[in-house]
Amino acid sequence: MNSFQLADFEINPISERDGWRLCDFICANADHIKRYFPKTVAANLNPTLSNIFVLEKVSDFISGKEYLFTLKEPEKRKIIGLVYLKELKRAAQEAEIAYCISYDHNNKGFATKAVKTISEWGFNEQHLQRLRIIAHKSNLGSIKVAENCGYLWKETLLKEHTPPNEQPLDMELYVLQNER
């Protein structure tokens, strides 16, 4: 499996050893990410749930159903973010990228570097031709990441996402085409 060593952090495929670290990341950042990652938060509220979640995501990674990468600090190996390559449509050669970063690593460029890296991996290793990012118009950080990575606004998706205890939200679709 591919790992990517960047200057400030590393990107690794989810691993069986990530259960405790993932639980720590989710519990520390739940309020920050639960609106857009409610299923991930719900599946990682304690170490037992996290270990089950990790085993499922490792299986998904191996089978090619979905790819979950962790962003880790190189020294302490603490998880500081996640990047999913999901909703793969192999026949159409497209997928969605979703990402979250810890509240204390916001606005430092980590999410942009990670999304660029996984976008390139999706094009080069998974032979995808089109990647999507779906973000709410109020999530300016996510929109900035999409735009910094070359994704272009395509359209508003009506009632695309329903956060916990909220009405469905219209979401903005950003698209990146493989130029190769």
Side-chain angles (χ1 to χ4, degrees):
M1 291 194 223
N2 299 317
S3 290
F4 307 94
Q5 189 68 46
L6 302 174
D8 303 318
F9 64 100
E10 57 189 52
I11 304 170
N12 299 297
I14 191 77
S15 161
E16 291 95 349
R17 298 181 309 266
D18 286 331
W20 279 93
R21 288 184 187 110
L22 185 58
C23 182
D24 287 345
F25 168 76
I26 295 296
C27 290
N29 291 282
D31 288 342
H32 177 64
I33 64 174
K34 68 182 174 189
R35 187 173 196 210
Y36 301 112
F37 289 86
K39 292 177 186 172
T40 301
V41 170
N44 288 280
L45 294 176
N46 64 54
T48 301
L49 290 174
S50 287
N51 284 322
I52 293 167
F53 177 85
V54 164
L55 292 175
E56 181 182 306
K57 294 305 173 187
V58 167
S59 176
D60 288 349
F61 200 108
I62 291 167
S63 72
K65 178 183 174 189
E66 177 179 278
Y67 300 98
L68 175 57
F69 293 89
T70 60
L71 283 58
K72 291 182 184 168
E73 294 176 333
E75 287 181 28
K76 297 179 184 174
R77 314 278 303 144
K78 177 182 173 188
I79 293 176
I80 60 169
L82 302 173
V83 178
Y84 284 88
L85 185 67
K86 63 183 204 162
E87 305 294 330
L88 277 91
K89 297 177 183 173
R90 297 281 183 189
Q93 294 181 304
E94 66 179 40
E96 179 183 335
I97 289 194
Y99 45 91
C100 58
I101 193 85
S102 65
Y103 67 90
D104 57 342
H105 286 83
N106 267 346
N107 301 314
K108 295 183 180 178
F110 293 141
T112 296
K113 290 176 189 173
V115 169
K116 279 183 184 176
T117 301
I118 299 307
S119 296
E120 289 173 16
W121 182 82
F123 289 147
N124 297 331
E125 301 297 323
Q126 297 302 310
H127 313 291
L128 300 170
Q129 293 301 313
R130 182 176 187 241
L131 295 172
R132 301 177 312 277
I133 290 175
I134 299 172
H136 191 261
K137 64 184 177 185
S138 69
N139 191 345
L140 301 179
S142 186
I143 289 170
K144 184 178 175 187
V145 168
E147 291 173 344
N148 286 345
C149 293
Y151 285 72
L152 301 174
W153 181 86
K154 181 83 171 166
E155 65 181 306
T156 299
L157 304 172
L158 301 178
K159 298 183 180 182
E160 175 68 16
H161 175 68
T162 306
N165 306 313
E166 291 187 46
Q167 294 297 313
L169 299 175
D170 295 345
M171 302 292 280
E172 305 305 317
L173 173 64
Y174 290 80
V175 174
L176 182 65
Q177 293 289 144
N178 188 356
E179 299 297 324
R180 295 173 201 145

